[in-house]
Amino acid sequence: MVSFDHLNEQQRAAVFATDGPVLVLAGAGSGKTRVITYRIAYLISQGVSPNDILALSFTNKAAKEMRERVVELIGSAAKTTHLSTFHALGLRFLREEYKSAGLSEKFTILDEGDQLAAVVDLMRDIGYDTDEFDPKLIHGLLSHYKSRLERPDARRGGLEGAVAQIAPLYGRRLRALNAVDFDDLIALPVWLLETDEEIGYRWSGRFKYMMVDEYQDTNLAQLRLLKALAKRHQNVCAVGDDDQSIYGWRGAEAGNILRFDAHFKGAQTIALTQNYRSTNRILRAANKLILNNSERHEKSLWSELGEGESLRYMEAKDGDEEAKWIATDILSAKRHYQADWNEFSILYRTNAQARVLEDAIRNQDIPYKIIGGTRFYDRKEVRDLVAYLRFINNPWDEVALRRIINFPSRGIGDLTIQRIADESRKRDVPFFRLIEKPSDVPNLKNSTRELLLGFHGLMKGFRDRFKQLDADFGTICRDLIETIDFRNAFGRTEKNVRRLMIRLDNLDEVASALGSYREQNPESGLEDYLSMLSLDRNKDEEEESDDVVSLMTLHSSKGLEFNHVYLVGFEEGFVPHIRQADTSSGTTAPVDITEERRLIYVGLTRARRRLTLTGSKTRLKYGRILNRKPSRFLHEIPKELFDGDRSGKMPELTGAALEKRAQNAFDEMFKIVGGDEIV
DNA sequence: GTATCCAAGGTTTTT
DNA sequence: CCTTGGATAC
Ligand SMILES: Nc1ncnc2c1ncn2[C@@H]1O[C@H](COP(=O)(O)OP(=O)(O)OP(=O)(O)O)[C@@H](O)[C@H]1O
């Protein structure tokens, strides 16, 4: 039996209000996520089938965590609850309804690079000068329109006109590749749900109770998806905080949460006001900062966790010193607080900042993990191997095919490829069909035709092997690496042996990952692994989460909490980020300093008891030294909350100083917090 | 068709 | 700084 004693009154109200639309709009750390987990538990305890419950969160990590928490509450009965991200849900939908969407079974999810390449290709085709129109910008706008399910106006000039011209071609191109992009994962399901009555009816009965976490970060397309799925029952419970809306740049629409009751008629709104996470000093810092934003939903937050320790601000002379100082500080704090490593987190604005920190932390033998930003699947050799897998899985994937048809070199040159492409376009036959039957392509030497057939045979062999029910993906993938002879291909250009070894290791890692994926999901095919790759690029790190210090961007930290938080690079240029602060190239998004402020708000409110801001007077960039000054946001946090006077003088690291500084706060905390509970 | 050299540009944030 | 890809020579 689930006990609801661990909820306050408002939380209980939200949990028990199972029917009809409910919005929980409340500040950071007020227990919104806990409402969702308990709500799932409550529904199941009331006899609702776990299979009828859908809870959506923003990241795979969050979805996974939610599953763990619900299982803790009610045990394995929760296992069949649908917990996923919007994109994973969209994918699932399309894997079932692919035919209606004009796709074939094993469609591919195009990664960003390939999306961009498609845009460049199409722009060239219809005679746009890629110097005059930045393809990145065009692609960004295209994505923006899709995320709002809007059509750009073809009669407009300039960028919008260009996007309007390219959009339909881009769509057609993707369908020809039997591929979708991220936005399609939402847009196509919405389109089907809204236009195909049978599909709409079927799916709107599928999930009887739906919950959405971090609702402030949903976009218009996601709102439409939600509406379509909830059409028959309106049982939607959304929780979020407009002050934590940090994805405006990719189409998130704060209006979704602020006008929830207009989108879902008869919605009741519940506010949560007690913060269970942070000390009052931390809370006050965050509240004061966010007060500088207008047009927000005013919220009051209070905490029973005492005043707590003062915040700290440390300004180093350069990035190395900053990183070293943090590493040392973590070491002494670990001793002093008898803390576990996983109580520490280092947050930064951009992934690039992780490098220095990583070095410093590793030097002190501190166990750590870096969440996100991993470029593993962006490395050339990995992308090449994945391109092979993609083509094997989905022969329509011409992008992958072109990437690998002559890598490693097998004598199929640009001219040959051009001839095949021309013929393919002329006769509207997929590229790969012509490789199966090169005699259909005019002007090729017979020896070239032989080469093409050889390539086709090779690929077909692997395709068949991957299709077998008992296929051992890991072994097949290693065979592929061998047969293709990547070793030789990279050995030729890479004379640095160490680097060559790294590349080969990376390839082997893909094989291992593929093998273990198959072992864990014996029912899944190659297509599932590949889409998992595009949707969850952090999978590997999450596995061994254990007792380690976490490094991540402010964006990735949303929803998490740590006893000790270091918010690093607290300088103009990082926060707000230079690209957001200056007015140049203002086409992607309006200059939005308020979103940067919210980002800091998110960062500050991750801390439970000890919050440290750090910055540096100089930064090394591309080998150049840049002078830096403290972030304007520093001055928006009251001086008196800081240890010292916010001047940045390096706080002492000795045990005695720590002792003196923290003693009172520490005792106070312990009295109040007591034993930790699960959410 | 393939190998090699050099210039340019890259760093916002993520599904 | 380092990587990437495009131009050029073989
Ligand atoms: N009623 C409660 N009693 C005690 N602790 C609670 C209660 N509700 C939530 N908590 C704790 O407060 C912390 C924050 O909760 P939770 O993550 O649900 O907040 P949130 O509103 O989702 O935060 P954020 O806005 O930052 O995502 C967690 O450690 C949670 O265990």
Side-chain angles (χ1 to χ4, degrees):
Chain A
M1 196 61 235
V2 193
S3 152
F4 297 94
D5 296 345
H6 296 306
L7 298 177
N8 63 35
E9 205 171 310
Q10 298 109 310
Q11 285 178 314
R12 274 198 292 272
V15 165
F16 298 148
T18 54
D19 287 36
V22 178
L23 172 69
V24 178
L25 176 49
S30 56
K32 298 184 295 295
T33 305
R34 182 180 279 207
V35 163
I36 293 194
T37 50
Y38 272 80
R39 211 164 184 275
I40 295 170
Y42 176 68
L43 285 165
I44 295 174
S45 77
Q46 292 300 103
V48 175
S49 160
N51 192 41
D52 287 345
I53 302 173
L54 170 70
L56 293 170
S57 43
F58 213 63
T59 62
N60 296 285
K61 186 163 40 128
K64 206 160 155 193
E65 219 170 276
M66 193 170 291
R67 164 156 286 129
E68 281 164 19
R69 289 177 179 185
V70 179
V71 168
E72 272 178 69
L73 278 179
I74 55 164
S76 54
K79 286 247 166 70
T80 52
T81 308
H82 301 284
L83 296 168
S84 81
T85 63
F86 270 98
H87 294 270
L89 173 69
L91 175 66
R92 209 192 118 131
F93 179 100
L94 288 179
R95 287 265 181 244
E96 283 181 44
E97 312 289 347
Y98 60 90
K99 279 198 190 113
S100 312
L103 295 160
S104 351
E105 197 183 355
K106 305 202 166 199
F107 62 86
T108 306
I109 302 171
L110 235 46
D111 69 34
E112 195 140 337
D114 290 338
Q115 293 170 31
L116 190 63
V119 170
V120 172
D121 230 45
L122 293 166
M123 286 175 70
R124 295 224 170 100
D125 277 3
I126 54 176
Y128 273 104
D129 178 359
T130 48
D131 285 331
E132 190 186 341
F133 292 90
D134 178 5
K136 273 214 176 109
L137 203 56
I138 300 275
H139 173 248
L141 285 169
L142 184 59
S143 167
H144 196 73
Y145 282 111
K146 287 172 84 169
S147 76
R148 306 177 66 87
L149 301 175
E150 283 168 4
R151 291 239 152 273
D153 189 341
R155 291 161 307 183
R156 299 283 280 275
L159 282 171
E160 184 172 350
V163 177
Q165 251 194 296
I166 288 162
L169 300 174
Y170 176 81
R172 233 173 292 152
R173 167 69 60 93
L174 261 56
R175 283 317 87 80
L177 295 172
N178 189 27
V180 298
D181 65 15
F182 282 119
D183 303 310
D184 289 330
L185 290 175
I186 313 296
L188 291 177
V190 170
W191 175 65
L192 285 175
L193 287 163
E194 290 181 354
T195 57
D196 186 315
E197 229 171 277
E198 188 272 326
I199 291 180
Y201 186 79
R202 191 150 39 81
W203 280 83
S204 61
R206 185 108 166 209
F207 309 109
K208 306 221 166 56
Y209 294 92
M210 313 204 298
M211 277 145 275
V212 191
D213 201 359
E214 310 285 9
Y215 191 66
Q216 73 278 359
D217 289 319
T218 53
N219 61 33
L220 290 178
Q222 289 164 333
L223 168 64
R224 293 259 289 271
L225 181 62
L226 216 52
K227 276 178 139 174
L229 291 174
K231 196 168 175 192
R232 276 155 69 184
H233 49 69
Q234 301 285 302
N235 293 335
V236 176
C237 172
V239 314
D241 175 5
D242 55 312
D243 287 332
Q244 295 187 63
S245 157
I246 54 176
Y247 284 95
W249 52 273
R250 69 170 211 208
E253 182 59 59
N256 282 0
I257 195 164
L258 295 173
R259 286 189 294 282
F260 184 81
D261 52 359
H263 304 142
F264 295 94
K265 292 282 181 291
Q268 56 171 312
T269 300
I270 295 174
L272 308 176
T273 56
Q274 181 170 359
N275 172 297
Y276 293 95
R277 177 181 297 147
S278 314
T279 66
N280 276 302
R281 279 207 179 86
I282 293 169
L283 217 48
R284 229 179 299 140
N287 285 340
K288 275 274 162 23
L289 174 96
I290 204 66
L291 234 40
N292 291 287
N293 277 359
S294 48
E295 307 207 7
R296 44 185 291 272
H297 181 89
E298 182 69 39
K299 287 173 285 280
S300 59
L301 265 188
W302 56 279
S303 161
E304 280 181 353
L305 297 176
E307 278 299 289
E309 291 185 33
S310 296
L311 279 65
R312 298 184 300 163
Y313 171 64
M314 193 282 295
E315 196 174 89
K317 71 175 194 302
D318 58 33
D320 277 335
E321 189 183 72
E322 181 194 26
K324 260 192 211 142
W325 184 85
I326 290 167
T328 321
D329 194 63
I330 289 177
L331 278 180
S332 58
K334 167 149 170 75
R335 241 177 293 120
H336 181 77
Y337 295 89
Q338 316 217 342
D340 290 327
W341 295 119
N342 60 21
E343 292 174 40
F344 296 88
S345 169
I346 305 178
L347 309 179
Y348 36 80
R349 177 63 227 268
T350 67
N351 286 304
Q353 292 171 258
R355 176 46 52 83
V356 201
L357 295 159
E358 182 180 11
D359 289 344
I361 288 221
R362 204 191 303 110
N363 271 333
Q364 302 276 8
D365 290 323
I366 297 172
Y368 69 96
K369 66 174 166 184
I370 297 179
I371 296 172
T374 161
R375 295 273 177 280
F376 183 72
Y377 288 99
D378 287 340
R379 318 193 82 167
K380 188 190 174 307
E381 66 274 17
V382 176
R383 295 198 60 180
D384 288 334
L385 178 54
V386 169
Y388 271 96
L389 296 174
R390 271 170 53 179
F391 175 62
I392 288 166
N393 171 248
N394 169 21
W396 281 271
D397 191 341
E398 184 182 323
V399 181
L401 173 56
R402 280 174 179 243
R403 187 183 178 100
I404 55 161
I405 190 168
N406 199 35
F407 183 86
S409 317
R410 48 175 74 86
I412 303 172
D414 290 347
L415 196 62
T416 307
I417 294 169
Q418 199 49 52
R419 291 209 168 112
I420 301 172
D422 288 347
E423 187 65 13
S424 151
R425 210 164 301 174
K426 198 172 96 201
R427 296 194 7 233
D428 199 21
V429 175
F431 200 101
F432 79 95
R433 293 269 183 238
L434 296 174
I435 289 174
E436 284 173 5
K437 213 158 167 281
S439 53
D440 285 359
V441 185
N443 299 326
L444 291 186
K445 282 190 293 189
N446 274 332
S447 59
T448 307
R449 296 208 167 100
E450 287 303 317
L451 289 171
L452 289 170
L453 280 174
F455 176 72
H456 166 247
L458 192 65
M459 292 298 99
K460 183 169 186 323
F462 279 103
R463 189 168 297 135
D464 292 340
R465 286 181 68 187
F466 273 114
K467 269 193 198 139
Q468 278 161 22
L469 285 178
D470 58 346
D472 174 354
F473 281 12
T475 306
I476 304 175
C477 191
R478 288 204 176 81
D479 278 358
L480 178 66
I481 296 168
E482 280 299 310
T483 314
I484 298 304
D485 204 2
F486 272 110
R487 172 180 292 271
N488 234 311
F490 286 116
R492 213 167 305 158
T493 48
E494 190 66 79
K495 41 193 169 123
N496 181 332
V497 186
R498 245 187 88 72
R499 287 171 161 269
L500 175 61
M501 291 309 288
I502 291 174
R503 284 188 191 256
L504 294 174
D505 280 351
N506 287 337
L507 293 176
D508 196 66
E509 200 160 311
V510 174
S512 302
L514 182 53
S516 66
Y517 178 81
R518 172 69 158 191
E519 264 168 44
Q520 279 162 33
N521 312 279
E523 309 288 292
S524 304
L526 195 50
E527 72 276 16
D528 296 305
Y529 174 74
L530 290 170
S531 28
M532 194 265 316
L533 272 195
S534 347
L535 254 39
D536 188 2
R537 321 187 77 204
N538 270 322
K539 195 171 177 300
D540 304 341
E541 283 100 89
E542 286 166 29
E543 308 290 275
E544 2 101 17
S545 47
D546 309 312
D547 188 19
V548 297
V549 174
S550 304
L551 283 72
M552 69 189 99
T553 61
L554 288 161
H555 282 89
S556 323
S557 76
K558 192 171 51 131
L560 306 178
E561 59 186 20
F562 302 90
N563 280 335
H564 308 270
V565 167
Y566 297 83
L567 215 164
V568 313
F570 212 68
E571 303 147 24
E572 285 294 298
F574 280 143
V575 287
H577 195 274
I578 183 102
R579 293 288 274 268
Q580 201 62 268
D582 75 12
T583 37
S584 69
S585 80
T587 358
T588 31
V591 176
D592 195 356
I593 212 77
T594 65
E595 183 153 311
E596 297 285 300
R597 192 176 280 113
R598 288 193 291 272
L599 197 51
I600 298 306
Y601 176 80
V602 168
L604 300 178
T605 53
R606 297 311 94 198
R608 282 157 59 106
R609 37 196 297 200
R610 190 159 156 273
L611 176 59
T612 308
L613 311 180
T614 70
S616 168
K617 289 197 181 68
T618 62
R619 284 286 160 191
L620 214 53
K621 198 181 186 186
Y622 312 144
R624 292 236 146 278
I625 295 174
L626 300 178
N627 284 317
R628 309 283 263 181
K629 59 184 211 284
S631 166
R632 66 192 75 175
F633 298 136
L634 183 66
H635 311 295
E636 296 181 2
I637 304 173
K639 232 190 201 136
E640 58 274 15
L641 295 175
F642 284 87
D643 192 9
D645 52 0
R646 207 176 58 183
S647 68
K649 212 170 80 59
M650 233 184 272
E652 288 256 18
L653 288 177
T654 64
L658 265 175
E659 193 68 44
K660 196 167 110 222
R661 221 175 72 54
Q663 194 172 23
N664 294 337
F666 186 65
D667 294 345
E668 190 183 359
M669 280 287 298
F670 250 66
K671 260 190 302 205
I672 295 159
V673 173
D676 274 358
E677 303 152 356
I678 56 161
V679 170

